[in-house]
């Protein structure tokens, strides 16, 4: 069983019209799983609906409590990309659980979104990796202690190569 926790972020943003800003909408995970014909057991729990830039230490503590108390040992957290690394680092040390954070650079509702791809990578990763905390973005699995978001490249990069790009 995989337990999904949704926290908002770009993956769940919606665009109403040409004069509005993006707003965090309902979680898209169920729709992506249904459209992808997913056959594994899973649950989905909406924890927050925030842009990750608005997350507080209290929000991160709440996410941690949800992870610690959720059923099973495989957890995927959908999260905004701007502070995903901070949240992943705040989850270190939770014993016996494989935790994978993922998100999207474009909302899941956009045709050119990376949401489905990133969720697919996260689903494979959470089933194959040993207990620990990971980030699944851009077709790669990262250690949260050794990655950052590169806004110019619109992707995550290992810290050791981040300065050379």
């Amino acid at each position: 069983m995989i337990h999904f926790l949704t926290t908002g972020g770009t993956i769940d943003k919606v665009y109403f019209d040409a004069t509005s800003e993006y707003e965090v909408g309902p979680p898209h995970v169920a729709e992506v799983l249904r459209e992808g014909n997913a056959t594994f057991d899973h649950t989905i729990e909406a924890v927050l609906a925030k842009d990750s830039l608005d997350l507080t230490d209290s929000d991160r503590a709440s996410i941690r409590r949800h992870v610690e108390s959720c059923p099973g040992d495989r957890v995927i957290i959908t999260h905004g990309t701007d502070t995903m690394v901070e949240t992943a680092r705040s989850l270190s040390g939770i014993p016996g659980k494989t935790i994978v954070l993922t998100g999207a650079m474009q909302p899941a509702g956009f045709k050119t979104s990376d949401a489905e791809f990133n969720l697919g990578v996260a689903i494979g990763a959470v089933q194959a990796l040993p207990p620990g905390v990971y980030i699944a973005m851009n077709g790669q699995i990262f250690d949260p202690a050794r990655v950052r978001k590169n806004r110019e490249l619109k992707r995550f990069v290992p810290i050791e190569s981040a300065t050379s790009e």
Side-chain angles (χ1 to χ4, degrees), residues 128-148:
L129 292 170
V133 182
Y134 307 90
I135 291 177
M137 289 294 297
N138 313 110
Q140 296 187 64
I141 307 302
F142 297 101
D143 174 346
R146 301 172 46 113
V147 69
R148 74 172 182 88

Side-chain angles (χ1 to χ4, degrees), residues 103-126:
M105 298 292 186
Q106 294 289 323
F110 283 21
K111 182 180 179 183
T112 59
S113 177
D114 54 336
E116 292 176 9
F117 180 69
N118 291 335
L119 275 168
V121 172
I123 291 164
V126 80

Side-chain angles (χ1 to χ4, degrees), residues 12 14 17 19 25 27-28 47 60 64 71 79 100 102 117 124 126 128 137 153:
D12 290 331
V14 293
D17 59 45
T19 62
H28 279 82
V47 175
R60 286 186 179 80
R64 185 179 178 99
H79 195 286
V100 180
T102 194
F117 180 69
V126 80
M137 289 294 297
L153 296 175

Side-chain angles (χ1 to χ4, degrees), residues 16-17 34 36 56 59 64 86 94 109 156-157 159:
F16 295 102
D17 59 45
R34 185 178 57 256
T56 65
D59 292 329
R64 185 179 178 99
E86 290 175 48
I94 297 176
F156 281 66
V157 295
I159 289 175

Side-chain angles (χ1 to χ4, degrees), residues 14 20 46 51 62 76 80 82 85 95-96 115 123 125 127 131 135 141 162:
V14 293
S20 68
D51 186 291
S62 176
I76 294 176
D82 286 314
V85 172
I123 291 164
Q127 294 178 83
I135 291 177
I141 307 302

